[in-house]
Amino acid sequence: MGKKAKTAAGKAKAANRKVLPDNFPKPVPSVEEQVGSGKPVEQPGLPGENWKLLGGEGYDDGGVADLTLLLDLEDVVLRRKRGDKGYYEAMKNDLLPRQQFGAMAKVSRRDQKVQLAQVLFADEKEHSKVPSEVYIEPIEGDEDPAVIKEQTKALVTAKEALKLSMILAETACVSLSLAEICKRIMVLRGKEGGEDALRVACKACELAGTGFWDSDEVLMEATETPKLPDNHQTNATKLSLANPASLKLIPIRVSELCFRTGYMQKGNALASLGREAEAREAYELIFPLLTNEVRSARIDWERFSVLINVGNTYAREKDYTLADEQYKLAEKIGQEHVDAAQGSEEDGKNMIAVTKRARAIALKKVGRDDEAKALMKELVEQQVKEQAEAAKKAEEAAAKRKAELEAQKKAREEAEKEKQ
C-alpha cells in the first residue's frame, strides 16, 4: 500500500495522482464490435469518387477504420488489458510505453503513434500506375546516386519505425514495420537483398500468427547490419496477434491485415530469389483473407495485385497459358470498374493498362515478340488518348470554375449597388 501522506503538500500530490471514474471516456467497445473497414459506411468519409462499393450499397471508408485498428490510437487494447482505472493512472503518471528520450521525449504516446503512421501508411512519392505490391524484376545497371541516397534514407526510416513500434509495444505496428523494411530492402538492393528481405518478411508473418515471437530477433532488424550473437538462443515469449490469448484483447482482423501485407512481401522476396512456386504459395494465402472484403477500388487493387503477381510467377517460368489465366482474371476486375455506373473508371483503366503491360512482358519471355510489340503499341496509343481526354476534362473543369467565380463576383457587385 505504501506510506500515507502526512503533510498538506503530500496529500495534495496524492490526490492529484488519483483518477476518478467520472472522468473516464465512454467504455471501450467489445472485441467483436471492432470490425474495421470490413463494414461499409453510409456516406463517403473522404473526398473523391472511388469510394462507392461495386455492386452494393454504401461506401468504402478508405481504410480509415482498419488504420484505427492497427494503430490503436485510443489504446483500446491497453484499456482492456489494464482496466480503465489502471490505464488512466498509468497515463497520468507517464508510465505507458513511449519513447522518452531524444527528439520525441516530450511527445505524447498518441502523437508518437501518429508520427509512426506517417511512415507506415504514407502515400508513395512516385505516383506510378503500377501498384507497389506488384513485384517487378529490377533492371540491372548503374543507379542514379541521388535515387540510391533516397532509397537508403527510406530504409533507415522504416528501421526507425520498427524501433518506435517496439518501444510503444504495438505488435501490429511491429509486423507492418518489418513488411515495410522488406519492401525497401528489395527496392534498394534488388535480387541481392532477396535473402534479407525474405527473413524480414517471415518475421512479419510470424508476428501475425498464432504462436510467439522473440523480441531480440525482431529488434535485430532495426540495426544497420542485422546479425545475432553467435551464442543467441531463441526465447519466443511475446504473443503473436492471432494467439488465443491475444484474441481476448485484439480483433482477429488485425492479424488478417498484417498477414495480407506480410504474405505479399514474402511472395515478392521469394520471387526476387527465383523461387516462383513458393512465391505463388505465399500470394495465394492472401485470397481467403479477401473473400469477405467489400468490392471497392481500394480492395480491388489488392485483389488485382495478387493476381498479377501470381501470373508473373508463371510468366517467369515461361508458362504463358497459366500466366494469361491470371491476367484475364485481373483484367476482369478492371473492366468491371470501367463498366459499372458506380465503379471507379480511372482505377479500372489503370488496372487494364497494368495487365496489358504484364501480358506483353510475358509474351516477350516466350519469344512472341511481334505480339508483345503490338500490345505495347496499343497500350501507348490508349494512354495518349486517355491523357488527351484528361487534359480536356481539366480544361472544361477550369473553365466551369472560372465562370462560377465570375458569376459570384457579378452577384456581389449587383448586391453592393442595390445597397447604395
Side-chain angles (χ1 to χ4, degrees):
M1 294 292 292
K3 294 182 180 179
K4 289 186 177 181
K6 295 180 180 179
T7 65
K11 289 178 181 179
K13 287 181 180 178
N16 190 49
R17 286 195 295 268
K18 289 183 180 178
V19 178
L20 300 176
D22 294 342
N23 297 330
F24 295 164
K26 61 182 181 180
V28 297
S30 67
V31 173
E32 293 74 22
E33 288 177 300
Q34 289 190 290
V35 296
S37 299
K39 183 180 179 181
V41 293
E42 294 182 1
Q43 296 294 330
L46 295 168
E49 300 176 354
N50 62 342
W51 306 115
K52 186 76 175 70
L53 297 188
L54 196 66
E57 296 297 323
Y59 295 83
D60 178 29
D61 73 345
V64 173
D66 281 344
L67 177 62
T68 302
L69 275 184
L70 291 166
L71 284 175
D72 195 16
L73 282 179
E74 303 303 326
D75 275 339
V76 171
V77 174
L78 268 183
R79 287 174 63 191
R80 287 192 188 115
K81 187 175 181 179
R82 297 184 179 211
D84 276 343
K85 187 173 185 296
Y87 171 79
Y88 284 106
E89 282 182 351
M91 183 174 71
K92 194 167 187 179
N93 295 306
D94 196 17
L95 297 175
L96 295 177
R98 72 178 186 89
Q99 174 62 276
Q100 296 187 345
F101 304 98
M104 300 185 77
K106 295 183 179 180
V107 180
S108 69
R109 173 178 165 85
R110 179 189 172 89
D111 288 343
Q112 287 183 10
K113 287 187 178 185
V114 171
Q115 292 189 29
L116 180 62
Q118 291 171 350
V119 176
L120 296 178
F121 305 101
D123 292 330
E124 297 286 332
K125 284 187 177 179
E126 295 137 19
H127 300 288
S128 170
K129 292 185 179 180
V130 180
S132 61
E133 293 82 6
V134 171
Y135 173 70
I136 300 173
E137 292 179 275
I139 299 171
E140 299 296 332
D142 294 333
E143 289 284 351
D144 184 347
V147 173
I148 293 175
K149 183 179 179 181
E150 195 67 28
Q151 292 170 347
T152 303
K153 183 181 176 182
L155 177 57
V156 171
T157 303
K159 290 190 175 191
E160 289 298 322
L162 175 59
K163 290 179 189 176
L164 181 56
S165 299
M166 292 288 289
I167 291 170
L168 293 170
E170 292 291 344
T171 304
C173 294
V174 174
S175 178
L176 293 172
S177 297
L178 288 167
E180 193 67 21
I181 289 171
C182 170
K183 180 168 72 176
R184 296 185 184 190
I185 286 174
M186 286 190 289
V187 169
L188 176 63
R189 295 167 54 196
K191 294 180 180 179
E192 187 183 314
E195 290 290 352
D196 287 340
L198 178 58
R199 182 190 67 246
V200 177
C202 287
K203 289 180 182 177
C205 294
E206 183 183 21
L207 267 68
T210 58
F212 300 83
W213 54 280
D214 185 328
S215 58
D216 290 335
E217 292 180 0
V218 169
L219 195 55
M220 172 196 80
E221 302 298 346
T223 60
E224 187 176 350
T225 53
K227 189 179 185 302
L228 287 168
D230 295 336
N231 62 349
H232 173 77
Q233 293 183 344
T234 298
N235 183 28
T237 56
K238 298 280 188 181
L239 294 173
S240 296
L241 291 167
N243 186 296
S246 296
L247 294 179
K248 295 176 182 178
L249 304 170
I250 305 171
I252 187 62
R253 184 172 180 83
V254 175
S255 166
E256 292 172 349
L257 291 168
C258 290
F259 263 135
R260 279 156 56 176
T261 304
Y263 284 148
M264 188 74 83
Q265 298 309 324
K266 182 179 179 181
N268 290 349
L270 287 163
S272 73
L273 295 169
R275 293 157 63 175
E276 307 297 352
E278 293 174 77
R280 269 197 301 278
E281 288 177 11
Y283 294 137
E284 288 169 353
L285 288 170
I286 302 172
F287 285 126
L289 301 173
L290 296 174
T291 301
N292 296 322
E293 291 294 315
V294 297
R295 287 295 310 275
S296 68
R298 179 179 64 89
I299 298 296
D300 277 352
W301 266 115
E302 192 172 354
R303 293 185 176 99
F304 172 87
S305 299
V306 178
L307 290 167
I308 292 293
N309 276 329
V310 172
N312 288 347
T313 63
Y314 286 121
R316 288 189 289 271
E317 291 177 332
K318 294 183 169 48
D319 190 335
Y320 178 77
T321 302
L322 291 177
D324 198 44
E325 286 180 10
Q326 302 299 315
Y327 297 151
K328 286 176 180 176
L329 292 172
E331 195 170 34
K332 182 173 178 286
I333 292 175
Q335 195 61 52
E336 286 171 349
H337 277 278
V338 172
D339 295 340
Q342 73 273 40
S344 172
E345 185 177 0
E346 182 181 356
D347 285 295
K349 287 180 177 179
N350 287 340
M351 289 178 191
I352 292 170
V354 173
T355 307
K356 287 181 177 179
R357 190 179 295 111
R359 186 178 280 124
I361 294 171
L363 286 166
K364 189 173 178 61
K365 285 183 181 294
V366 294
R368 295 162 63 175
D369 292 355
D370 291 343
E371 292 174 75
K373 288 177 182 177
L375 192 56
M376 286 303 294
K377 182 182 177 184
E378 177 188 331
L379 177 60
V380 170
E381 289 174 350
Q382 182 64 31
Q383 287 179 334
V384 169
K385 181 181 176 183
E386 288 174 3
Q387 286 171 1
E389 290 175 355
K392 184 179 178 182
K393 285 182 180 179
E395 287 177 8
E396 291 174 353
K400 183 179 178 183
R401 178 60 179 161
K402 184 179 179 181
E404 288 174 353
L405 292 172
E406 287 177 353
Q408 290 172 5
K409 182 181 178 182
K410 186 177 180 181
R412 285 196 300 269
E413 290 174 350
E414 290 177 354
E416 288 175 1
K417 287 180 181 179
E418 288 178 3
K419 288 179 181 178
Q420 293 174 358

